[in-house]
Amino acid sequence: MFRTALRNVLAHKARLMMTALAVLLGVAFVSGTLIFSDTVGEAVKKASAKSFKDVAVSVQSTSGDGPRIPEDGQNRSTLLTDRLADQVRSLPGVAAVHANVSGRATVADKDNQPIGNDWQNVATNYQPGEGGKDSRYPVVQGRGPAAAGEIALDEATAEKGGLKLGGTVRFATDGPALHKKLVGIVHSEDPQVTAGGSLALFDTATAQKLFVHPGQYDELVVAAQPGTDEKALTAAVEKLLPKDRATATSGAVLAADQARMVEQSNQAMSKTLLVFAGIALFVGIFIIANTFTMLISQRSREIALMRAIGASRRQVVRSVLAEAGLLGLVSSVIGFALGTGIAVTMRSVLNANGAGFPDGPLVISPGAVLSALGVGVLVTVLAAWLPSRKAAKIAPVEALNTVDAAPKLRGLVVRNTIGAVVTGLGVAIMLYVSTLKDAEDMMTPMAGSALTLVGVIILAPLLSRPLVTLAGKVTTRIFGISGKLAKENALRNPRRTAATASALMIGLTLITGMTVVGVSGQRASDEMAAQGLTADYQVGTANFLGLDPELTKKAAKLPGVQAAVPLRSAAFETNGGDGYGSISGTDLAHLDKVADLRFVSGSLDAVRDGGVAVSRSRAEKLHWKTGETHDVGFFTGTEKKEKARLKVAGIYEDNATIGDLFGPTALVDPHVKPLKDEKVLIKTANGPDAALEKEIRKALGDSPLLKVQDKDALRKENAGSIDTVLNMVYGLLGMAVIIAVVGVVNTLAMSVFERTREIGMLRAIGLARSGIKQMVRLESVVISLFGAVLGIGVGIFLAWAGGKLTASSMPMYEMILPWGRLGIFLAIALVVGVLAAAWPARRAARLNMLESIGAQ
């Protein structure tokens, strides 16, 4: 039976080619993801380990009540001093101690645009050792910084910014722009820097002035002499530290923690990619099952003969599964090779777009090989299992005596009943989901979506008759007999049509659902970004650390500026701890010039007379009403809370610009350390103006961290992030659509083979070659459009039901149908139908008339 399976694979290479391609593409997706994750993960781990190579012990300050927050708001140490560093240096086994000062510095390029992401923009002190050089940062050009007016940068940052030795570097930490002379360019292997961040180096005194205080450090890094026991040295260092105020951690523990964090991050990315790979393989199951069903139907006489000469049903099943296993194995091997190329290409493309993955060799682990090959073979065998059982049920005498008879089609009653139950259950769950107001439980909508999709797939043969008939009326009216034949061919075997269309339907369901939710969310986000904003500019910072209030006052005095209203917030807890909130302190005298406030009760004048205003939704959650007084405790960064009494002077419609509560700055300022304006709303006399915008930037320090945005800029910022996510989803789901196209080609090609005699008869009674081509093309288009209509319909329903959850975090969310994009999806299905039929139609038209009529 194994030899029979091998012979069948070799005998039907052309028919199985498209099935092999579907398996191949799915395995390539899986293997590419696994190899990419392993390669990047190993490279990052090695880079992280290298950064801890000379770290025996790391000393950092702690506090039993949490981080120490001084008046300037930075999480800085008051314990790590030169005195402690000298004590650590005197310990036996210590080779050196690096006293580090660390912070964030965003460097501007020649066009004053920030380089890198703020959270990856590392700044630290350059600590020259023997020879006047810091071994951690090899100098490529120039020298290390040695004076207050000097700075050094890493190679990538200098290159991105077009910055040259001797030139001036503009940068910012948490305030106005600063300027220093570039004296050196260094090489860095810090993972944050190599992953797209930046590195700025200062002399120690300057770094302390920028990020801590003179004589203080953020970390003491201890290097050990050869042969020193790291654990013993860590214990010795720990004895020098104040109890519960600082900790000493060994380099091995730090490296292990870093590796664990990298692995967790890598796993999250891998799981996301593998979900889409699973979707691609799921689509492939329909193609494989369809192919084997058709092959078994065509080989019914052969199978019957095997049964007649003594083959048991179990042997027939094993023969078909062995054939599927061989196909899956060969396809998986080729797919794995393709996946390796995908992994290499993926890393190159992402690095070219600023991902900054560290260099490292390609990692192909045994686990990746076994997983990819195992998945490919398993999926193929599982997909062929039902067709194999069908093959085993062929009765020898019946099959041998009905060679020329059309195969009998089983009824759809049982299938339709199961499909109706599954679909009904899925729809019921999604209707329940549409009533939820909390998006915390995501398992329920996921289960409902899966059941709905599976139910529609089961019901697809039933749904195909009315939809294909409707499409057939159009094709018949436009294309005549070719259109009618195409409709009849599509209806001839509803199961086959449904399986072929379902592969395309799955991809379009997901794409449509994501598009509808994404576009609707984008519209809501756009409206929320400028909701209640009547100011011409909203000013903030990229690192969210805020602006100096003195600079806000300076901007308010600019000619052409009518008002510059600050917003600074403080978090509080209601009496008894049963509610939380955040209150914005603002300039009540000018607030109405920059925000459109619509009061439900009370008024802005009442707030000015003493009190606070609360948004409608927050008032409902806190059960507050106008005229009431409530005791609250403001958070101070420790367990102690500063108590205050708030009088509710008004309730207003939700306003994303202002927030949930607002009151005078005098109420909030005592609880905000350091005192910073989170954002500033600026109203001008004549609307947005480029020249005035430059003056505002200048007055606010002209920092590269500064974001001066009008309403259009706020909308574009929100739209850009959603478009990026949608484009990524389109790209990942594109593999599933490609596999679906392969399925249409495969079904049509095998259908043409199955109908060889019929095509010969059509040619004999006068249907031209062009008519044959048109018939096959129209059949393909009808099947593709059927899948598209189902996919778009199910996708819209799931987006409607699941989108209701989005409204819990986005009050302005309303479902919007992007008709333009939906039209594009239908057009894509039409193009898919035409392209998929190109080869089968050409093959059908080239069949010899007489040979076709005589075919068995």
Side-chain angles (χ1 to χ4, degrees), residues 63 97 251 491 551 852:
S63 172
V97 175
L491 290 174
L551 295 177
S852 299

Tab-separated table of all heavy atoms in Angstrom, residues 63 97 251 491 551 852:
chain	number	residue	atom	x	y	z
A	63	SER	N	14.109	52.015	48.004
A	63	SER	CA	13.447	52.564	49.183
A	63	SER	C	12.293	51.657	49.527
A	63	SER	O	11.587	51.166	48.645
A	63	SER	CB	12.945	53.987	48.923
A	63	SER	OG	12.147	54.438	49.998
A	97	VAL	N	35.630	50.242	39.661
A	97	VAL	CA	34.249	50.633	39.924
A	97	VAL	C	33.891	51.781	39.000
A	97	VAL	O	34.563	52.817	38.999
A	97	VAL	CB	34.047	51.069	41.399
A	97	VAL	CG1	32.625	51.592	41.594
A	97	VAL	CG2	34.320	49.913	42.345
A	251	GLY	N	26.315	40.350	38.377
A	251	GLY	CA	26.216	40.487	36.929
A	251	GLY	C	25.525	39.296	36.295
A	251	GLY	O	24.786	39.447	35.313
A	491	LEU	N	-22.729	25.224	-9.374
A	491	LEU	CA	-23.774	24.625	-8.534
A	491	LEU	C	-23.734	23.111	-8.540
A	491	LEU	O	-24.392	22.459	-7.731
A	491	LEU	CB	-25.157	25.088	-9.023
A	491	LEU	CG	-25.509	26.562	-8.786
A	491	LEU	CD1	-26.833	26.885	-9.459
A	491	LEU	CD2	-25.587	26.851	-7.293
A	551	LEU	N	7.963	78.936	31.084
A	551	LEU	CA	7.985	79.043	29.624
A	551	LEU	C	6.566	79.255	29.073
A	551	LEU	O	6.372	79.963	28.085
A	551	LEU	CB	8.602	77.787	29.017
A	551	LEU	CG	10.073	77.526	29.335
A	551	LEU	CD1	10.525	76.203	28.715
A	551	LEU	CD2	10.943	78.663	28.825
A	852	SER	N	-10.925	14.208	-26.130
A	852	SER	CA	-11.706	14.523	-24.929
A	852	SER	C	-12.985	13.710	-24.870
A	852	SER	O	-13.376	13.194	-23.819
A	852	SER	CB	-12.040	16.023	-24.895
A	852	SER	OG	-10.867	16.793	-24.864
